[in-house]
Amino acid sequence: MPDLPASGTESDGSAVIRVLSYNIRSMRDDRAALARVIRACAPDIALIQEAPRFFRWRKAAAWLARESGLVYVTGGATAAGPLILSSLRPHIERTEDVLLPRTPGLHQRGFATAAVRIGGARLSVLSCHLSLAARERYEQAGLLLDRLAGMGEPHAIAGGDLNDRPDGRTFRRLSAELQDAWATKPWGGEHTSVPERPHQRIDAIFATSGIEVLGCGVPVGLQNVQEDDLRAATDHLPVLAALMVPPA
């Protein structure tokens, strides 16, 4: 498998960034394995789903950031689960956690969002975990697109657990407006669920049209990513993308 490009800043101010999307199941599995996987992926931005959101959730988020070599940006309980971590490379311009309209009897959902600057590039980032209910999930996809458009940055990235496959209505609604990074430049593995028997792609990273996708997929075979850790860390496999973001 070819190497995924490393992070870097070009002479014109454009930035190659690594973005990770990962459902961590509230850190109920092997925490040390989880941290090793994230650290080995070396993301500039980590879009996390199912972050701890109850008792001492901030302490858990701080532990995960520290052990993964990252820092806390926003989200967690305040976004009903989605979380954003980053390396020290991005400059965080602003953050906002958004709670979505809730259907009675279903889980509260939300977005963790941030506007960041890396080199001469500016972009919005959003972490999401969409509903298990098809109708609500489809509506949340529309809210996601509206949120990215309203953040006012020249480029945008969204990543998360969609609870939908590429042929589903919600996934197709997003990929009609944004680049599905795996479909644009596949790299590594495709399927994200379940680690013991990957058979479906329900986690994805999306980017607006001005961003160049250099590679995206499950980091199977990436240096220092151990298969035992991938199976032990959580009930999803991570998605890692390398993206070239033009200068603002």
Side-chain angles (χ1 to χ4, degrees):
M1 181 176 70
D3 289 338
L4 195 69
S7 301
T9 303
E10 304 298 320
S11 58
D12 65 354
S14 59
V16 176
I17 64 172
R18 281 191 174 193
V19 178
L20 180 74
S21 181
Y22 206 179
N23 182 318
I24 64 171
R25 195 160 71 156
S26 297
M27 296 169 60
R28 296 199 302 265
D29 301 288
D30 187 331
R31 292 188 174 197
L34 176 65
R36 286 194 296 269
V37 169
I38 297 174
R39 184 182 287 271
C41 289
D44 297 294
I45 297 168
L47 306 175
I48 303 296
Q49 301 84 50
E50 286 196 41
R53 56 192 179 96
F54 297 111
F55 184 64
R56 293 183 176 175
W57 68 269
R58 288 183 176 85
K59 182 177 181 180
W63 182 93
L64 181 64
R66 182 179 66 251
E67 295 301 314
S68 303
L70 303 173
V71 296
Y72 171 85
V73 175
T74 194
T78 50
L83 172 75
I84 299 175
L85 306 176
S86 80
S87 69
L88 294 178
R89 186 175 175 226
H91 176 79
I92 309 302
E93 299 280 356
R94 62 186 185 277
T95 65
E96 184 178 8
D97 298 328
V98 181
L99 294 179
L100 303 180
R102 182 180 180 184
T103 302
L106 299 180
H107 290 299
Q108 177 71 65
R109 302 286 177 173
F111 300 147
T113 73
V116 306
R117 174 169 48 82
I118 304 176
R122 297 179 61 93
L123 67 155
S124 306
V125 297
L126 182 153
S127 177
C128 68
H129 186 186
L130 303 187
S131 177
L132 288 165
R135 182 174 179 177
E136 184 180 54
R137 181 168 64 239
Y138 186 77
E139 292 171 352
Q140 290 169 352
L143 295 173
L144 186 158
L145 294 170
D146 290 345
R147 175 62 54 172
L148 289 184
M151 289 182 70
E153 299 299 332
H155 307 287
I157 295 165
D161 178 354
L162 304 184
N163 278 316
D164 202 30
R165 299 180 183 183
D167 60 352
R169 288 180 69 233
T170 296
F171 205 119
R172 287 188 286 112
R173 184 174 191 177
L174 294 174
S175 60
E177 299 291 332
L178 304 169
Q179 296 183 82
D180 171 8
W182 158 262
T184 302
K185 190 70 178 288
W187 167 91
E190 177 181 4
H191 297 141
T192 62
S193 176
V194 288
E196 296 80 8
R197 185 174 51 87
H199 65 282
Q200 59 181 350
R201 183 163 73 97
I202 61 174
D203 305 83
I205 293 173
F206 294 93
T208 47
S209 59
I211 294 174
E212 181 183 358
V213 180
L214 305 177
C216 178
V218 176
V220 177
L222 185 69
Q223 186 176 9
N224 297 324
V225 174
Q226 304 298 321
E227 290 191 17
D228 287 347
D229 283 346
L230 289 172
R231 289 192 293 268
T234 177
D235 63 343
H236 284 243
L237 293 170
V239 181
L240 179 63
L243 308 169
M244 173 77 82
V245 185

